[in-house]
Amino acid sequence: MTTTPEHDKRVSEMKFFSVYPHYVTKVEKKGRTIKELHTVIEWLTGFNEEKLQELIDEKVTFKTFFERATLNPNAELIKGVICGYRIEDIETPLTKQARYLDKLIEELARGRKMEKILRVKK
């Protein structure tokens, strides 16, 4: 299933600061911590807590958020279905990056071990 241009536009224009509290709620509700959430976000984007807060305060869109990110080279190892889309089949880079983040947060909320979420090779 590929995304539509309308879907991609919606993802691009979403404000990160408005979605972030939902990430916090999702992981805390399942017994995970904000620190773990920030670890996952930093692994994917390179943003530490300070930079993350700056982006939240600046009220950036997902487009700007991912334009400023330094995506982890192992991000391509994130696979599976999220929000009804198979990540490997998403062609629009920004939408794929947003779904990478969604998938990592879902894995965190489901109790997956951090080394598996961060794709640590043994």
Side-chain angles (χ1 to χ4, degrees):
M1 174 181 231
T2 58
T3 59
T4 64
E6 295 80 16
H7 177 266
D8 293 335
K9 184 174 190 291
R10 214 170 39 248
V11 169
S12 170
E13 293 173 351
M14 274 191 320
K15 300 284 189 175
F16 180 77
F17 83 94
S18 67
V19 178
Y20 175 78
H22 299 287
Y23 294 155
V24 172
T25 300
K26 183 174 188 166
V27 300
E28 286 186 330
K29 193 171 165 183
K30 298 293 185 167
R32 302 305 287 256
T33 66
I34 292 176
K35 183 167 177 44
E36 289 173 310
L37 172 64
H38 289 174
T39 298
V40 167
I41 293 172
E42 185 170 357
W43 178 85
L44 180 64
T45 64
F47 298 140
N48 62 22
E49 284 188 44
E50 183 180 317
K51 184 62 180 174
L52 191 60
Q53 190 58 55
E54 286 176 20
L55 294 166
I56 289 168
D57 293 344
E58 196 179 326
K59 299 183 177 181
V60 298
T61 61
F62 269 82
K63 181 176 190 283
T64 301
F65 182 83
F66 282 107
E67 282 175 347
R68 294 183 189 173
T70 303
L71 214 62
N72 189 302
N74 287 336
E76 65 190 28
L77 299 175
I78 303 167
K79 301 191 183 315
V81 177
I82 189 77
C83 301
Y85 296 96
R86 178 156 291 285
I87 293 172
E88 306 90 294
D89 296 341
I90 299 173
E91 295 174 4
T92 308
L94 174 63
T95 301
K96 183 177 255 188
Q97 292 165 357
R99 295 304 172 220
Y100 281 159
L101 181 57
D102 291 339
K103 185 69 174 173
L104 293 176
I105 291 167
E106 177 186 84
E107 290 176 357
L108 182 64
R110 288 188 171 188
R112 194 165 194 208
K113 291 183 178 180
M114 198 59 104
E115 56 269 11
K116 291 206 181 264
I117 296 169
L118 304 181
R119 279 48 183 182
V120 175
K121 293 182 181 180
K122 292 184 179 183

